[in-house]
Amino acid sequence: LISHAENAEKFIADEPRTNWHDETLWFVRVKRDAAVKSVPEWETLRELASQIKANVLANLDTYLEEFERHAKTNGVIVHWAGNAREHNEIIYGILSEKGVKKMVKSKSMLTEECHLNPYLEERGITVVDTDLGERIVQLRKEMPSHIVLPAVHLKKEDIGETFHQHLGTEKGASDPDYLAAAARKHLREQFMTAGAALTGVNFAIAETGGIVVCTNEGNADLGVALAPLHIASMGIEKIIPKTGHLGVFLRLLARSATGQPSTVYTSHYHGPERAKEMHLVLVDMGRTEQLGREDFRKSLYCIRCGACMNTCPVFRRSGGHSYNAIVPGPIGSILSPGLDLKKYSALPFASTLCGSCTDVCPVKIDIHQQLYKWRQIVAKENELPVFNKIFMKAMGYVFAHPLLYRITASAGKWIVRITPRSLLYSRWNIWGKQRELPPAPKQSFRTWWLNNNKQ
Amino acid sequence: MSAREDILKSVRRNKPEQSPLPLVPEFDKPAMDLVKIFEDNLLKIGGRFKQLTNPDMLKPFIEENYPGLRMIVSNVQGYEGTHKLSSITKAHDLENLDLAVLQGGTAVAENASIWLSGDTLPFRALPVICQHLVLVFNRGDLVYNMHEAYQKIEINRSTYGAFIAGPSKTADIEQSLVIGAHGPKSMIAVMLG
């Protein structure tokens, strides 16, 4: 089990690159701020979005039934999947029945969570990710490092090399226009020959049974428009009650994500194009369990804008891959422990608890509060690393016994003074890895207090 | 069937207490001219704006701006393009479409997006497979924000409908903006009236 801190250590070994990554994401945060300032009612919109989501969770069962009823009336074939295995089996079932050999896929974090691509590839179906960033990481056999900017960890030279190997672009070429044009040509061929198109879902409207998909590149639209089969995968929390609520969420989403007033394409699907077929897979994948956790259910409000990642001082300086989770960053660190506490026990600690994530969240998720609460659970469930566990226990004991505390504190003062640096900053002093210990004071606060009160 | 029942049962067991659905109020609009706001926002997202007072001016405008294009289709009244839409039998035949001139509905000033309703499109591929796109809308259909837009449009009038804001784009390579990702490489919004 590799912790976030260990992965981050590898990431920050390259300091100029770390700084570049940090600045790149901060640039997106600044764009977000400018976009937000252009909307005087921003805070009202956030509050509305948060209240709508609270209502959705309180009535999720009836909204899901209403949505399903309308979707079926619209001619959509609706499936339900409790977990990743069921989700993948359903999709494979649809594809194999139609004899599909190649599927184009636009961005869908859910299918990443379900590890759909390897599942289908093993069964002889080629999956082509069509979002440029996702195609780049797919060719490199990597995971997306960010939910909105999947290749934000890569330099254009890295991408140039990948395209040279896979798409035959010129060796050493790294001009973004040139590389994007090569990807456009390559992916056009995929769109023209795909037997199915899979999309994610940004919003599902209960009262109409339709779904909304947002992209900038037009890859979802082109995929669906050309393939005879459209499959949409959605987490059950993507439901919103009414059409009118789209106005609230769409005004928040793109501004929070990239600082754009809107994505280029905001596409509404209410059934298949004539003579085609549309399937919809509603997926639980741990969401109903999270719904039952009072302290953490608000994490299901998330609309996947990525603003919390762009603002997070830890994410910006450790990179998305260091979290080793499909959804990284602050929101991922409160979602992932709910899926597998053991595997993701380090993530709630990958934060300074500064609260910047909570401040920018367009649906007002109390992210830093939840990070703090997950830490309590990690400790209670005995998932802290051994050293931290023993250290915390010992500290707790010392703090609970005043005399012992006084002895330890005064001993500590001398230890800091006389211990050689090599010993003081040994590998056991994790805190001292990148920091200097403060100089030991001449007298303790207690001594000072006692002296002062005497006079 | 069992997954459906399991999920719904689990939701019922775990869902929180009732929470009322808020009413979305009407928000104030800026005092500025809506056309100016639309135009400014469109320029920022890489589109171009043209106001034509008379629909007859559309044809010469297209001919002047897109000379020599081999394949142009249109669903806008009064302009036919080079190929009749009725002559196209399947979406894949649009592979070499140079320009689509399409009739939009409601236009939104705050984000320069224009609503396209699927019932006006013989193929959903039209606005996204073309190399260049012209969207036409009427001045009377311009609103300020998305709330007003959703009051005007009927999202399920057809199986497909989309707000389109500018040309397709990507910033996936080092956050460098590249216009023309998978869809059109240029986009002009033409306002009639």
Side-chain angles (χ1 to χ4, degrees):
Chain A
L1 204 76
I2 297 166
S3 75
H4 173 268
E6 284 166 67
N7 288 330
E9 198 163 349
K10 277 178 226 143
F11 185 83
I12 58 171
D14 187 342
E15 195 175 327
R17 200 175 170 117
T18 307
N19 292 342
W20 165 79
H21 187 265
D22 177 14
E23 283 157 20
T24 303
L25 288 166
W26 187 252
F27 169 70
V28 183
R29 157 78 209 258
V30 170
K31 283 203 296 182
R32 172 244 172 230
D33 290 352
V36 165
K37 283 194 189 103
S38 74
V39 182
E41 59 268 25
W42 185 258
E43 288 305 317
T44 311
L45 289 173
R46 285 178 77 208
E47 185 56 37
L48 285 169
S50 193
Q51 286 177 15
I52 295 167
K53 286 287 186 178
N55 172 269
V56 167
L57 295 193
N59 301 281
L60 190 56
D61 50 338
T62 50
Y63 284 143
L64 280 166
E65 287 171 321
E66 184 189 356
F67 173 75
E68 181 193 38
R69 199 169 57 244
H70 290 136
K72 281 180 169 170
T73 312
N74 295 338
V76 179
I77 301 157
V78 180
H79 310 259
W80 298 71
N83 52 42
R85 186 181 50 81
E86 289 176 12
H87 168 264
N88 294 349
E89 282 171 6
I90 288 166
I91 296 196
Y92 177 66
I94 302 166
L95 296 175
S96 59
E97 194 204 310
K98 303 273 169 204
V100 174
K101 290 273 159 264
K102 177 158 69 186
M103 179 172 82
V104 287
K105 195 178 103 186
S106 68
K107 208 181 271 169
S108 152
M109 283 301 126
L110 179 61
T111 58
E112 301 281 339
E113 280 177 51
C114 293
H115 300 287
L116 176 69
N117 288 19
Y119 181 92
L120 293 178
E121 302 271 354
E122 275 166 28
R123 285 157 185 80
I125 295 170
T126 307
V127 183
V128 181
D129 282 324
T130 55
D131 173 84
L132 178 57
E134 293 219 318
R135 185 61 179 154
I136 292 166
V137 295
Q138 187 185 33
L139 291 173
R140 296 171 64 90
K141 298 189 171 30
E142 291 178 357
M143 285 197 323
S145 72
H146 185 296
I147 59 171
V148 173
L149 320 162
V152 74
H153 60 293
L154 294 170
K155 294 262 203 178
K156 56 180 193 255
E157 291 77 16
D158 304 327
I159 297 163
E161 183 54 33
T162 303
F163 279 15
H164 171 66
Q165 283 172 23
H166 295 275
L167 308 184
T169 53
E170 271 175 59
K171 175 111 188 129
S174 66
D175 176 60
D177 281 298
Y178 169 76
L179 295 176
R184 177 185 171 99
K185 187 165 168 283
H186 157 70
L187 285 164
R188 268 283 164 121
E189 289 161 19
Q190 312 302 318
F191 284 123
M192 293 301 290
T193 52
L198 189 142
T199 68
V201 171
N202 288 94
F203 305 100
I205 311 127
E207 74 170 352
T208 66
I211 59 165
V212 174
V213 181
C214 303
T215 74
N216 276 325
E217 298 181 8
N219 54 321
D221 295 76
L222 198 51
V224 173
L226 289 173
L229 175 65
H230 175 194
I231 304 172
S233 279
M234 62 173 268
I236 53 171
E237 83 284 14
K238 290 282 179 279
I239 294 266
I240 60 169
K242 293 177 187 305
T243 306
H245 298 142
L246 283 171
V248 174
F249 289 103
L250 289 168
R251 295 185 80 195
L252 291 165
L253 178 61
R255 288 184 175 97
S256 296
T258 56
Q260 295 169 262
S262 152
T263 49
V264 178
Y265 301 92
T266 306
S267 306
H268 304 57
Y269 296 98
H270 281 86
E273 196 166 9
R274 64 192 149 73
K276 293 188 182 183
E277 223 170 84
M278 178 175 171
H279 293 253
L280 195 63
V281 191
L282 295 161
V283 189
D284 181 346
M285 201 48 194
R287 283 149 175 86
T288 58
E289 216 183 326
Q290 190 84 331
L291 187 65
R293 297 183 180 113
E294 199 185 337
D295 286 343
F296 303 110
R297 60 168 61 109
K298 275 178 91 173
S299 62
L300 296 171
Y301 291 7
C302 179
I303 56 172
R304 302 292 191 269
C305 71
C308 61
M309 297 169 196
N310 305 336
T311 200
C312 178
V314 176
F315 183 94
R316 282 188 275 122
R317 293 176 184 82
S318 63
H321 287 157
S322 66
Y323 294 78
N324 202 20
I326 300 299
V327 181
I331 183 66
S333 300
I334 59 172
L335 287 170
S336 308
L339 295 172
D340 187 339
L341 186 67
K342 219 178 180 65
K343 187 174 173 194
Y344 299 113
S345 62
L347 296 191
F349 297 88
S351 164
T352 61
L353 299 184
C354 70
S356 185
C357 46
T358 304
D359 288 345
V360 298
C361 178
V363 289
K364 289 196 163 183
I365 303 171
D366 51 343
I367 303 176
H368 73 295
Q369 305 281 3
Q370 294 192 30
L371 285 165
Y372 176 70
K373 285 173 184 164
W374 271 119
R375 291 183 184 187
Q376 318 289 307
I377 290 174
V378 170
K380 220 177 274 167
E381 299 291 318
N382 232 1
E383 295 300 338
L384 284 176
V386 180
F387 180 77
N388 297 33
K389 211 159 38 188
I390 296 170
F391 189 72
M392 286 298 176
K393 273 244 166 72
M395 290 295 279
Y397 189 81
V398 171
F399 286 138
H401 296 81
L403 181 65
L404 182 62
Y405 172 77
R406 256 172 266 155
I407 296 166
T408 316
S410 114
K413 206 164 65 187
W414 286 105
I415 289 170
V416 172
R417 273 188 210 146
I418 61 171
T419 314
R421 277 193 73 84
S422 60
L423 208 61
L424 195 58
Y425 290 89
S426 70
R427 68 195 185 96
W428 296 106
N429 183 2
I430 302 169
W431 196 90
K433 248 182 189 172
Q434 294 94 358
R435 310 177 183 88
E436 283 288 306
L437 290 167
K442 284 206 180 67
Q443 57 176 183
S444 70
F445 174 76
R446 186 184 152 78
T447 325
W448 173 86
W449 177 262
L450 290 176
N451 285 344
N452 265 13
N453 273 5
K454 248 183 249 163
Q455 286 157 9
Chain B
M1 230 26 209
S2 80
R4 180 184 187 277
E5 291 318 311
D6 285 351
I7 291 170
L8 289 173
K9 222 163 68 189
S10 184
V11 169
R12 282 181 199 119
R13 193 172 55 237
N14 291 332
K15 65 181 183 175
E17 281 168 33
Q18 216 29 258
S19 184
L21 201 55
L23 283 175
V24 180
E26 273 193 30
F27 295 106
D28 293 339
K29 280 173 242 180
M32 260 172 80
D33 174 27
L34 283 192
V35 177
K36 175 85 177 104
I37 298 172
F38 181 92
E39 182 179 356
D40 287 351
N41 283 328
L42 184 63
L43 292 179
K44 274 186 222 156
I45 59 175
R48 278 173 59 202
F49 180 75
K50 182 69 186 176
Q51 181 172 3
L52 298 177
T53 47
N54 183 338
D56 296 339
M57 293 157 81
L58 183 63
K59 188 168 187 273
F61 173 76
I62 302 283
E63 281 165 357
E64 188 193 321
N65 278 273
Y66 301 96
L69 291 186
R70 289 224 187 99
M71 186 175 183
I72 302 174
V73 297
S74 166
N75 69 358
V76 180
Q77 275 210 330
Y79 176 67
E80 281 217 326
T82 60
H83 292 63
K84 277 215 165 82
L85 270 169
S86 55
S87 70
I88 290 154
T89 53
K90 59 181 196 296
H92 290 70
D93 295 344
L94 297 165
E95 188 181 3
N96 297 315
L97 181 62
D98 293 308
L99 173 66
V101 182
L102 302 174
Q103 181 65 53
T106 300
V108 189
E110 71 161 329
N111 57 21
S113 66
I114 298 169
W115 175 253
L116 275 188
S117 184
D119 57 349
T120 65
L121 303 171
F123 303 98
R124 287 180 184 179
L126 276 169
V128 72
I129 201 169
C130 54
Q131 299 293 318
H132 304 279
L133 176 65
V134 171
L135 292 182
V136 180
F137 70 95
N138 300 319
R139 185 172 188 159
D141 289 331
L142 181 60
V143 298
Y144 175 63
N145 64 31
M146 292 298 279
H147 309 295
E148 296 166 75
Y150 276 112
Q151 278 167 15
K152 283 191 74 176
I153 64 172
E154 205 183 324
I155 60 165
N156 53 352
R157 184 184 161 122
S158 152
T159 57
Y160 175 70
F163 282 106
I164 295 182
S168 81
K169 62 181 155 198
T170 180
D172 275 341
I173 302 173
E174 272 198 22
Q175 287 298 298
S176 305
L177 182 66
V178 177
I179 303 274
H182 299 299
K185 296 173 182 170
S186 81
M187 185 269 188
I188 300 181
V190 172
M191 185 176 78
L192 297 180

